[in-house]
Amino acid sequence: MSNNFFDSILGAVSSNRPAAGSPLSQDPPSWEQLQKSCSGTEFGKAWNGWQTEWAKGAGPPHTDAKLRLFGAREEDVRLTLYRDTAAWCPYCKQVWMMLEEKQIPYRVVKINMRSYGEKPASFLNKVPNGLLPAIELDGRLMTESLAIMQTFEVAFPETKPMLPDRSSPEFERAVNLLQLERELFGRWCQLVFRPSPPNSGIRQELDRVLMKVDSELAATPGPWFLGGDGPGLVDLTYVPHLERMAASCAYWKGFQIRGNPRYANINAWFEALELRPSYMATKSDFYTHVTDIPPQYGDGHFSQERETTGFRRRIEGVDGSWHLPLPPLSRSDSLEPVLAENDRGDECFRHEAALKLASNGAAVAKFACRGAGRSSGWSLLPGRAPLSDPKAQPNEAFIPAVESILRHVTATMLDGSALNEAASAAFSGSKDGTPEMVRCLEYLRDRVGVPRDMSYPAALQLRAHLNWAIDNIKS
Ligand SMILES: N[C@@H](CCC(=O)N[C@@H](CS)C(=O)NCC(=O)O)C(=O)O
């Protein structure tokens, strides 16, 4: 690590000299060098292997995988799934997980949600109201997630059934459980997205329905609503909203679902889901949820408890939880626990974040410079996502300096030296340009979306290393 590294690039900005010609005697490695180093890590080798597999329609499920063959030939694929680019849309998630669980061959076309930017005319010509998900099956277009999932049961009879036979008593139970999901959804919306006076009983109503859901889960052997050895259509219907409920109730209401022993069966169900690659590929984190939920569902209403529990501050990372050293991922008091089976270790997650940053470094630096540039006001309007501002203008004067810092951050994530005293030492001297640089790094930190950009533990590493850089240039 270089001494005075951050000062030297800040000096280059303040004197308006391009960083390329500036006295950066100890430049961090170039993006090309960093990409090479990233490819040489254990994660990098696995990642390169997956990319080769994804191009062939194989490999594990992932937001980047656009062709899924499950052993079929490409020319025999009957289905195209239109799902959102941010991998956040709850209804897309149900359909996506079902395709993975049933191993139905499909292609993916990614379309923006409106809150992230304009939709292409080619999609609006097919689906004039723009709603996602949509599918094309044997050339026929369909929308509405539940109808799509029921169609899969009929159109692919050779795949694993996910709904009980219509003539069985389990079918009636499935229908009742789907109705219970609608009741749960309604109670959640009432609690989080509508103003309610204290002691209105709405929270108790949500708790009552959650307890009912919990007891339904207890009624069958194993973790799933209808028994069996994997999630069925009923489970998939509950997945996106229970995941969003856990994040939003903690954030806006200080009301804990995940990790709360009162909902032991719901928590066991989450844990069983987290052992399924189809779920982990689609799973978001609490921060991404609370920034993505308002454009779709409306603004959440804060209650007093959210301050006393500190959940809001924890989810926004302002209580120190996005700072190094990061606490162990699988600690039992975590609001967002990571199963030991999914904990690949800090080094692996640092390397994932480094690889994702290095693979698109120059573009990411330009994106970060929107923090010192001009906002278009896009995300201030209702129905727009703060994780996006497709029309924001970067302040290009800061690109070389931001790029240098990001290369430095990448190198630090690769070698894990951020907690090494020598690496952080001696950031003193001229601080001209610091506020703008800080804004650029904060902008990037606050726009990392899970799972679109990387996994949750990797996003934590990137956010914490960006904070490390911010603290150094401020100190
Ligand atoms: N009932 C529909 C709802 C679909 C829906 O509301 N999709 C939202 C995304 S979560 C959407 O496409 N909104 C327009 C947009 O954000 O672009 C279904 O189950 O498929």
Side-chain angles (χ1 to χ4, degrees), residues 84 88-92 94-95 111-117 119 123 129-134 143-148 241 295-297 383:
D84 73 304
W88 187 82
C89 160
Y91 302 99
C92 300
Q94 297 171 340
V95 173
I111 304 288
N112 270 346
M113 286 194 294
R114 261 192 282 277
S115 52
Y116 275 81
K119 286 182 201 276
F123 181 70
N129 68 9
L131 286 189
L132 293 163
T143 56
E144 288 301 322
S145 55
L146 188 55
I148 291 173
H241 292 129
Q296 297 294 333
Y297 292 91

Side-chain angles (χ1 to χ4, degrees), residues 24-298:
L24 295 184
S25 53
Q26 297 179 62
D27 262 351
S30 67
W31 287 125
E32 291 70 28
Q33 288 165 324
L34 289 165
Q35 283 162 4
K36 203 159 165 246
S37 305
C38 289
S39 290
T41 64
E42 285 307 307
F43 178 82
K45 288 181 208 156
W47 178 260
N48 291 339
W50 294 333
Q51 291 216 302
T52 311
E53 294 288 297
W54 291 331
K56 292 190 288 196
H62 193 273
T63 53
D64 291 358
K66 289 181 138 177
L67 175 67
R68 305 289 290 153
L69 291 176
F70 305 108
R73 295 183 314 168
E74 194 171 347
E75 54 273 32
D76 294 335
V77 175
R78 297 166 54 196
L79 184 86
T80 301
L81 168 65
Y82 295 88
R83 67 161 175 82
D84 73 304
T85 315
W88 187 82
C89 160
Y91 302 99
C92 300
K93 179 181 177 108
Q94 297 171 340
V95 173
W96 177 10
M97 275 189 72
M98 187 156 182
L99 291 171
E100 288 292 331
E101 287 290 335
K102 284 175 88 68
Q103 306 212 330
I104 297 172
Y106 67 102
R107 295 171 204 288
V108 177
V109 176
K110 295 185 191 176
I111 304 288
N112 270 346
M113 286 194 294
R114 261 192 282 277
S115 52
Y116 275 81
E118 314 297 344
K119 286 182 201 276
S122 56
F123 181 70
L124 291 175
N125 288 339
K126 285 181 199 284
V127 183
N129 68 9
L131 286 189
L132 293 163
I135 60 159
E136 262 168 344
L137 174 59
D138 300 327
R140 200 170 67 104
L141 187 91
M142 269 191 84
T143 56
E144 288 301 322
S145 55
L146 188 55
I148 291 173
M149 292 196 290
Q150 285 170 321
T151 301
F152 291 163
E153 284 296 274
V154 181
F156 299 94
E158 70 284 8
T159 60
K160 181 174 104 176
M162 294 187 76
L163 250 187
D165 195 83
R166 278 183 176 265
S167 56
S168 67
E170 286 79 27
F171 187 79
E172 197 183 326
R173 181 153 182 264
V175 172
N176 291 338
L177 285 167
L178 292 178
Q179 280 165 359
L180 181 62
E181 193 277 337
R182 288 294 79 194
E183 188 183 351
L184 181 66
F185 179 81
R187 294 293 177 202
W188 169 50
C189 291
Q190 212 174 6
L191 177 69
V192 176
F193 307 111
R194 316 233 165 88
S196 57
N199 308 320
S200 60
I202 290 172
R203 183 173 162 150
Q204 287 75 7
E205 272 304 301
L206 176 62
D207 172 68
R208 183 187 61 76
V209 183
L210 280 168
M211 290 301 283
K212 168 91 177 109
V213 170
D214 201 78
S215 68
E216 291 291 348
L217 281 167
T220 40
W224 312 111
F225 278 101
L226 294 172
D229 58 3
L233 185 149
V234 170
D235 296 280
L236 299 189
T237 308
Y238 279 76
V239 162
H241 292 129
L242 263 172
E243 189 185 315
R244 282 153 184 75
M245 232 171 270
S248 58
C249 288
Y251 183 76
W252 279 292
K253 301 290 170 185
F255 173 27
Q256 185 170 8
I257 297 173
R258 197 64 221 274
N260 185 342
R262 187 167 168 77
Y263 312 119
N265 294 292
I266 293 178
N267 278 289
W269 176 83
F270 270 124
E271 287 182 10
L273 280 165
E274 284 169 5
L275 292 173
R276 303 199 80 84
S278 67
Y279 179 68
M280 291 311 288
T282 67
K283 184 179 184 291
S284 210
D285 73 338
F286 281 20
Y287 176 78
T288 306
H289 280 316
V290 301
T291 43
D292 270 4
I293 283 174
Q296 297 294 333
Y297 292 91

